[in-house]
Amino acid sequence: MATDFKSIPLIDISALLEKWDDPNLIQDEAVAEVVRQLDEACRKAGFFYVKGHGIPDSLIKEVRDIAHRFFDLPCEEKLKIKLSAETGYRGYQHLGENITKGTPDMHEAIDCYREVKHGMYGALGEALQGANQWPSDPPNFKSLLEEYIYLCTDLSRKIMRGIALALGGSTVEFEGNRAGDPFWVLRIIGYPGVSSENGHDMPKNDIGCGAHTDYGLLTLVNQDDAITALQVRNVSGEWIAAPPIPGTFVCNIGDMLKILTNGLYESTLHRVINNNPQYRVCVAYFYEPNYDAAIEPLDVCVKKTGGSRKFEGAVYGKHLVSKVRTNFVI
Ligand SMILES: N=C(N)NCCCC[C@H](N)C(=O)O
Ligand SMILES: O=C(O)CCC(=O)C(=O)O
Ligand SMILES: [Fe+2]
């Protein structure tokens, strides 16, 4: 259950990463401490920062820099990779095109998903079928982002092992049919800053991204330094800032983990408001279940939460497609 947390905990996960594949993982004291902190953060906030994650700071920064360079390009250039239903909802969306609860978001973005080959998931896979659309400018965009996706996938798998232990499950609870072939999503997002024309500030509080929960298992947020814009809602309805902490990712749990844990962990509402003069970039990586995974509360979590199932099962791909279709009314 989310609480009235006032700040977001920071967890050093290096001990977990050192031993993640050790069969006696949980017997290691340092690992057990990481697992305890993950459990507390997921129960109380559904959000945490991670440090000691092993992804080089230089790469994390390069990814944001290249995103800035893309968003700086003229509109015609960016529209060469325009997202539509025909591209499997992959590609560039201009400002105001993504919709959250009926209101256009003040962001532009490139959306990428794990590739879906023709016929791969039958009718279930049709909406997202296709390959990603990468910009040809900047020229190394695709190779840099593919390297980044590879490292984020690897890191997320290891964090999910820690979360599996936190739930009292087996280390491979989120592998195999559940998330052994994760349907990852990458959103490269740009939020314009507040501009001042004629010395007067434009109206503030334009919503960069309206309040929402994420859809899958675990999100890794790589946000620009020195701009605070991401806000997380606590149980009392207060919006708690998640300021950038250099060298960390902001992590949060998604809707599928809420179902799997029978509500022990919640996918917490969050939103983005960029009230700063600078343009802000965020590269959000989403680690999700297998596209065709049937997600249901884990037995171990049902036992921990009073013995009855609180949620209907969901097929992840169906959940995703219903979200994507309402995000883009095109
Ligand atoms: N893949 C993820 N989680 N994307 C999050 C986007 C959130 C905003 C979207 N318009 C919505 O209403 O969900
Ligand atoms: O820009 C951010 O910090 C977070 C973006 C986000 O919540 C999302 O894309 O799901
Ligand atoms: Fe989000």
Side-chain angles (χ1 to χ4, degrees):
M1 261 294 167
T3 59
D4 72 342
F5 61 91
K6 302 289 181 200
S7 65
I8 294 165
L10 170 64
I11 308 175
D12 181 344
I13 59 165
S14 45
L16 172 65
L17 297 195
E18 255 169 57
K19 296 252 163 81
W20 72 280
D21 211 15
D22 184 332
N24 300 317
L25 190 60
I26 197 64
Q27 267 119 32
D28 184 280
E29 255 178 52
V31 173
E33 178 55 23
V34 174
V35 166
R36 196 197 60 71
Q37 290 180 25
L38 285 170
D39 188 50
E40 186 174 339
C42 290
R43 284 174 192 253
K44 290 192 172 162
F47 264 79
F48 50 94
Y49 292 88
V50 295
K51 67 171 189 177
H53 50 67
I55 301 188
D57 284 349
S58 53
L59 175 65
I60 292 176
K61 170 92 169 55
E62 248 182 287
V63 161
R64 294 197 311 263
D65 285 349
I66 208 166
H68 274 283
R69 277 195 277 143
F70 173 79
F71 290 126
D72 274 347
L73 293 172
C75 207
E76 316 85 82
E77 190 59 33
K78 294 188 277 193
L79 286 170
K80 285 183 181 164
I81 58 160
K82 187 174 165 42
L83 167 157
S84 70
E86 288 68 44
T87 66
Y89 296 93
R90 295 153 191 266
Y92 173 74
Q93 59 212 256
H94 55 69
L95 217 57
E97 201 173 342
N98 200 316
I99 292 168
T100 301
K101 299 198 181 102
T103 305
D105 291 322
M106 284 306 111
H107 71 248
E108 53 183 332
I110 302 177
D111 285 357
C112 307
Y113 299 87
R114 183 206 187 286
E115 189 173 341
V116 175
K117 295 216 161 69
H118 191 81
M120 199 164 160
Y121 301 109
L124 180 66
E126 271 168 20
L128 287 162
Q129 219 154 253
N132 289 316
Q133 299 200 80
W134 298 103
S136 51
D137 183 17
N140 59 332
F141 197 99
K142 177 178 188 229
S143 58
L144 187 75
L145 272 294
E146 284 185 340
E147 182 191 357
Y148 184 70
I149 290 164
Y150 176 84
L151 293 175
C152 286
T153 303
D154 188 57
L155 171 61
S156 303
R157 180 178 299 120
K158 293 169 183 172
I159 297 175
M160 289 310 295
R161 284 207 171 182
I163 291 180
L165 291 176
L167 293 167
S170 95
T171 46
V172 293
E173 214 66 72
F174 303 115
E175 292 169 39
N177 290 339
R178 284 200 187 102
D181 180 11
F183 195 77
W184 56 262
V185 184
L186 189 77
R187 303 199 70 221
I188 300 148
I189 317 165
Y191 304 88
V194 177
S195 64
S196 46
E197 274 166 22
N198 308 322
H200 296 295
D201 279 353
M202 299 272 282
K204 290 201 168 192
N205 292 326
D206 256 355
I207 307 288
C209 186
H212 66 279
T213 57
D214 289 345
Y215 315 151
L217 294 173
L218 181 74
T219 307
L220 306 180
V221 169
N222 170 8
Q223 56 175 333
D224 264 345
D225 288 337
I227 300 176
T228 297
L230 174 60
Q231 305 176 352
V232 183
R233 211 183 78 142
N234 73 14
V235 80
S236 316
E238 297 164 304
W239 289 101
I240 307 301
I245 302 180
T248 70
F249 288 103
V250 177
C251 296
N252 62 283
I253 60 190
D255 300 335
M256 294 301 110
L257 195 55
K258 175 178 176 164
I259 297 179
L260 285 157
T261 63
N262 207 30
L264 195 60
Y265 299 168
E266 277 187 36
S267 43
T268 309
L269 274 174
H270 53 285
R271 68 180 184 188
V272 179
I273 301 177
N274 184 14
N275 267 339
N276 304 272
Q278 304 100 303
Y279 189 96
R280 171 181 184 266
V281 152
C282 164
V283 180
Y285 170 90
F286 303 92
Y287 187 78
E288 318 286 74
N290 292 5
Y291 191 81
D292 54 1
I295 298 298
E296 283 184 37
L298 300 173
D299 290 339
V300 64
C301 296
V302 174
K303 282 201 194 96
K304 278 189 174 189
T305 49
S308 62
R309 282 167 188 259
K310 296 186 181 146
F311 303 100
E312 294 286 312
V315 174
Y316 174 66
K318 266 196 196 166
H319 180 63
L320 176 64
V321 170
S322 73
K323 290 287 188 175
V324 169
R325 287 215 166 105
T326 43
N327 289 343
F328 302 103
V329 189
I330 45 182

